[in-house]
Amino acid sequence: MPTAKMTALAEIPEIQSGDCLGDIIATALCANNFTLTPSTILVIAQKIISKAEGRSVKLTDIKASHQAEELAEKTAKDPRKVEMILRESDAIVRVREADANGRGSVIITRTHAGFVCANAGIDESNLEEGHLLLLPVDADRSAQQLAEDLETKLGVKPGVVITDTFGRPWRNGLVNVAIGTAGVPPIVDQCGETDAWGRTLSVTQPAFADELAAASGLLMGKADRTPIIIFEGLDWQPRQAGIHELVRNQKEDLFA
Amino acid sequence: MPTAKMTALAEIPEIQSGDCLGDIIATALCANNFTLTPSTILVIAQKIISKAEGRSVKLTDIKASHQAEELAEKTAKDPRKVEMILRESDAIVRVREADANGRGSVIITRTHAGFVCANAGIDESNLEEGHLLLLPVDADRSAQQLAEDLETKLGVKPGVVITDTFGRPWRNGLVNVAIGTAGVPPIVDQCGETDAWGRTLSVTQPAFADELAAASGLLMGKADRTPIIIFEGLDWQPRQAGIHELVRNQKEDLFA
């Protein structure tokens, strides 16, 4: 029977700006007697990528623009955080203003990479007080770099998915989604395959990288320090493609 | 290290209306030497639930209303299918009309259960020609029934998630989501837990049932007959709750 195994990689230390994640992960893999194969996939929380890449910003270093001040007042947020949200975004998609108690506000934007999410993916939890953590500038490149570093050190290039936690319209609760990949196809195109009755399947395009990201959430607790989930045993074919495959063309989107 | 295993259950026959899924799954579990534990979770494709529950409708038995005829013309769809979409829905959320070649149309509705999806979740693939397959009337009840039947037969009540494949705004490709649960909490509330720095996590609510559903897609190929994925080794606490936990209150939804 088709089987797959997921493991939360232990012994990952607190990541600092400038750390080489390839070194750290290779060491942890060895310490835990893991053997990479070409079908191994590592799903990695954005947070440690951003930390290693120095994407932390000190609030006191940020000067809010007039536009940020205005939006901050409506949403009862720190104007400096709103400034960074605007800088990281191509467009504001939706805003809900704060209630009378200054709560419940939401700013949803489209980031430069095309992701639609709250606060341009900027994070404050699990961070030193007074700091913001931005998404990686190019998470595909981050994933590719990591895959290459692991190949150099261990002789095998695994698939890599970088993930962040987004909310969804219509559904409560959060799931992880893919924001960068190396080797792992964002979408697996099953068009042309036949169903169990021999008819051609018309539109069946599993978002493979998002399935992996969501699955990683089963072991990647927010409060734990398990930012790396290893998938073994999956049947997949490497294909280098950009994460833009998962970003819906705005002209085709009914909810833009 | 925290580890979990996913297995696609083999030896599931073609399901017919009136079949007892509890019997069929219990037999397949035994044939494959699976031992259920209270932490085992079965994720099951909606299709076999709907088939067993006789939710198949013959197109020639459907009479399209005037509203269905109109919408069918705009979207170049079969008026009888549109009629069933309307009957299965509380509201039309978005419509994209067909292009000059009669292609590319989309009808997104809110189903009676509150799910926002294309075509009210009505399916035509992997079905006898000229038939439509509707979502289960109450997938929580279907999941509960199945969990109870397995407990009766095998002495252990596993968690059950029923899943369907939905598209998403903003992101291409499809992922499975949960449409019914038994025992498995749709959302795990981590509010009140502390992060690695001892600060209280404000809003961290993993959509556990959706994570399981999306993960099941890694082994649940459309063209294969593997409608049941078994998860073992996950750390979770049973809680009986309705799938409505995952359905966002329309008043709070910025995309309604």
Side-chain angles (χ1 to χ4, degrees), chain A residues 103-188:
Chain A
R103 290 195 188 146
S105 71
V106 177
I107 300 176
I108 298 173
T109 71
R110 178 174 291 106
T111 69
H112 300 311
F115 305 125
V116 177
C117 58
N119 304 325
I122 295 174
D123 206 349
E124 286 171 295
S125 62
N126 274 309
L127 264 186
E128 217 183 311
E129 201 78 44
H131 285 70
L132 303 175
L133 191 64
L134 314 183
L135 292 183
V137 173
D138 180 346
D140 280 334
R141 199 181 55 197
S142 310
Q144 195 64 44
Q145 183 65 52
L146 180 57
E148 284 166 14
D149 287 353
L150 288 169
E151 186 179 26
T152 303
K153 279 166 220 307
L154 303 172
V156 178
K157 194 175 192 173
V160 174
V161 174
I162 298 174
T163 180
D164 194 11
T165 308
F166 287 1
R168 299 94 46 90
W170 315 323
R171 293 179 80 82
N172 290 315
L174 305 173
V175 292
N176 287 351
V177 298
I179 65 166
T181 60
V184 174
I187 289 179
V188 176

Side-chain angles (χ1 to χ4, degrees), chain B residues 175-186:
Chain B
V175 292
N176 287 351
V177 298
I179 64 166
T181 61
V184 174

Side-chain angles (χ1 to χ4, degrees), chain A residues 1-10 14 32 34 51 93-96 106 108 115-116 124-129 166 168-175 177-178 187 190 193-197 199 201 203-208 210-212 214-215 217-219 221-223 225 231 234 244-249 252-256, chain B residues 1-10 14 32 34 51 93-96 106 108 115-116 124-129 166 168-175 177-178 187 190 193-197 199 201 203-208 210-212 214-215 217-219 221-223 225 231 234 244-249 252-256:
Chain A
M1 289 186 288
T3 296
K5 193 177 157 191
M6 306 167 46
T7 308
L9 183 60
E14 183 58 27
N32 291 291
F34 255 102
K51 282 184 177 173
V93 176
R94 293 284 194 283
V95 171
R96 185 170 61 205
V106 177
I108 298 173
F115 305 125
V116 177
E124 286 171 295
S125 62
N126 274 309
L127 264 186
E128 217 183 311
E129 201 78 44
F166 287 1
R168 299 94 46 90
W170 315 323
R171 293 179 80 82
N172 290 315
L174 305 173
V175 292
V177 298
I187 289 179
Q190 295 184 340
E193 293 187 26
T194 52
D195 71 10
W197 276 254
R199 286 188 306 240
L201 288 168
V203 191
T204 307
Q205 300 194 306
F208 183 56
D210 278 341
E211 290 175 338
L212 287 159
L218 293 168
L219 294 182
K222 274 279 168 203
R225 289 196 179 155
F231 288 78
L234 289 169
H244 60 82
E245 271 193 10
L246 282 172
V247 175
R248 202 181 276 275
N249 184 325
E252 290 174 10
D253 199 317
L254 298 171
F255 298 88
Chain B
M1 290 185 287
T3 297
K5 192 176 158 193
M6 305 166 47
T7 308
L9 183 60
E14 183 57 28
N32 292 291
F34 256 102
K51 282 183 179 175
V93 177
R94 292 285 193 283
V95 170
R96 184 169 62 206
V106 178
I108 297 173
F115 305 126
V116 178
E124 287 171 293
S125 61
N126 273 309
L127 263 185
E128 217 182 310
E129 201 77 44
F166 286 3
R168 300 92 47 91
W170 315 324
R171 291 179 81 81
N172 290 316
L174 304 174
V175 292
V177 298
I187 289 179
Q190 295 184 340
E193 293 187 28
T194 53
D195 70 12
W197 276 254
R199 285 188 308 239
L201 289 167
V203 190
T204 306
Q205 301 194 304
F208 183 56
D210 278 342
E211 290 176 338
L212 287 159
L218 294 167
L219 294 182
K222 273 279 170 204
R225 289 196 180 153
F231 288 77
L234 289 169
H244 59 82
E245 272 192 11
L246 282 171
V247 175
R248 201 180 276 278
N249 185 326
E252 290 174 10
D253 199 318
L254 297 171
F255 298 89

Side-chain angles (χ1 to χ4, degrees), chain B residues 81-130:
Chain B
K81 181 174 178 182
V82 175
E83 172 66 25
M84 290 314 300
I85 294 171
L86 295 175
R87 284 191 208 168
E88 291 285 299
S89 302
D90 275 354
I92 297 174
V93 177
R94 292 285 193 283
V95 170
R96 184 169 62 206
E97 301 193 5
D99 64 17
N101 301 313
R103 289 194 190 147
S105 71
V106 178
I107 301 175
I108 297 173
T109 70
R110 177 173 293 105
T111 69
H112 300 311
F115 305 126
V116 178
C117 58
N119 304 324
I122 295 174
D123 205 348
E124 287 171 293
S125 61
N126 273 309
L127 263 185
E128 217 182 310
E129 201 77 44

Side-chain angles (χ1 to χ4, degrees), chain B:
Chain B
M1 290 185 287
T3 297
K5 192 176 158 193
M6 305 166 47
T7 308
L9 183 60
E11 312 210 19
I12 301 296
E14 183 57 28
I15 302 297
Q16 311 292 340
S17 177
D19 279 352
C20 175
L21 280 181
D23 278 345
I24 290 168
I25 293 172
T27 302
L29 289 168
C30 293
N32 292 291
N33 292 313
F34 256 102
T35 307
L36 289 187
T37 75
S39 78
T40 307
I41 295 173
L42 305 183
V43 179
I44 306 191
Q46 156 271 327
K47 193 163 285 190
I48 66 168
I49 304 282
S50 290
K51 282 183 179 175
E53 293 180 354
R55 294 282 287 159
S56 170
V57 181
K58 218 170 151 180
L59 276 173
T60 51
D61 289 344
I62 304 166
K63 169 111 184 65
S65 65
H66 183 64
Q67 189 194 0
E69 297 273 6
E70 278 189 348
L71 186 51
E73 188 162 334
K74 285 182 190 163
T75 53
K77 288 180 190 286
D78 187 315
R80 298 165 299 178
K81 181 174 178 182
V82 175
E83 172 66 25
M84 290 314 300
I85 294 171
L86 295 175
R87 284 191 208 168
E88 291 285 299
S89 302
D90 275 354
I92 297 174
V93 177
R94 292 285 193 283
V95 170
R96 184 169 62 206
E97 301 193 5
D99 64 17
N101 301 313
R103 289 194 190 147
S105 71
V106 178
I107 301 175
I108 297 173
T109 70
R110 177 173 293 105
T111 69
H112 300 311
F115 305 126
V116 178
C117 58
N119 304 324
I122 295 174
D123 205 348
E124 287 171 293
S125 61
N126 273 309
L127 263 185
E128 217 182 310
E129 201 77 44
H131 284 71
L132 303 174
L133 192 64
L134 314 182
L135 293 183
V137 173
D138 179 347
D140 280 335
R141 197 182 57 196
S142 309
Q144 196 63 45
Q145 183 66 51
L146 180 57
E148 284 167 14
D149 286 351
L150 287 169
E151 186 180 26
T152 303
K153 278 165 220 307
L154 303 171
V156 178
K157 195 175 189 172
V160 174
V161 174
I162 297 174
T163 180
D164 195 12
T165 309
F166 286 3
R168 300 92 47 91
W170 315 324
R171 291 179 81 81
N172 290 316
L174 304 174
V175 292
N176 287 351
V177 298
I179 64 166
T181 61
V184 174
I187 289 179
V188 175
D189 203 333
Q190 295 184 340
C191 296
E193 293 187 28
T194 53
D195 70 12
W197 276 254
R199 285 188 308 239
T200 302
L201 289 167
S202 49
V203 190
T204 306
Q205 301 194 304
F208 183 56
D210 278 342
E211 290 176 338
L212 287 159
S216 76
L218 294 167
L219 294 182
M220 199 187 273
K222 273 279 170 204
D224 303 326
R225 289 196 180 153
T226 52
I228 300 172
I229 310 298
I230 303 171
F231 288 77
E232 297 172 287
L234 289 169
D235 180 20
W236 62 285
Q237 297 303 318
R239 177 169 65 81
Q240 191 46 44
I243 198 70
H244 59 82
E245 272 192 11
L246 282 171
V247 175
R248 201 180 276 278
N249 185 326
Q250 281 184 61
K251 285 183 194 150
E252 290 174 10
D253 199 318
L254 297 171
F255 298 89

